[in-house]
Amino acid sequence: MSDSVNQPRTFEVLTAAPVRARRKPRDWPDEEKERLIAETLLPGANVSAIARAEGLDPSQLYGWRRKALSSGLVAPLTEAAKEEVKFARVEPAASSTVEIVIGDVVVRVAGDIESDHLAKILRAVRKA
């Protein structure tokens, strides 16, 4: 039997980086969320790249986006929607009435309408 005590030995010292402390959740203002969601709905937008550029986890931005789309208040542009619009004409007007054109439907809205009521009207027009 050989004497293993007097044999040369090799040791490897393992080092590791310290574990980062968990980040404190950031409270995002609604305006900032709306801006980021609007960016993700642009044609050709990369949701993950937008999230990382803002220091946000992509899954969080996807969650906000999914919630906004399911609410019916926003919708991504589709190829069909782009083809239906032939031209846009802007005419300055002195009145507070706004015309919203969705397909072949025109919705005329006074400036003093409540936003919740307008959202319900637009959802009904989209479903029709």
Side-chain angles (χ1 to χ4, degrees), residues 85-97:
V85 177
K86 303 286 187 208
F87 64 91
R89 181 178 61 195
V90 178
E91 295 178 9
S95 71
S96 63
T97 304

Side-chain angles (χ1 to χ4, degrees), residues 2-32:
S2 69
D3 187 11
S4 64
V5 176
N6 295 327
Q7 298 295 325
R9 297 183 191 168
T10 305
F11 292 97
E12 184 176 344
V13 178
L14 301 175
T15 59
V19 177
R20 289 187 325 172
R22 184 162 188 237
R23 286 188 298 180
K24 182 180 176 188
R26 182 174 168 188
D27 186 26
W28 290 83
D30 289 340
E31 296 81 23
E32 191 70 13

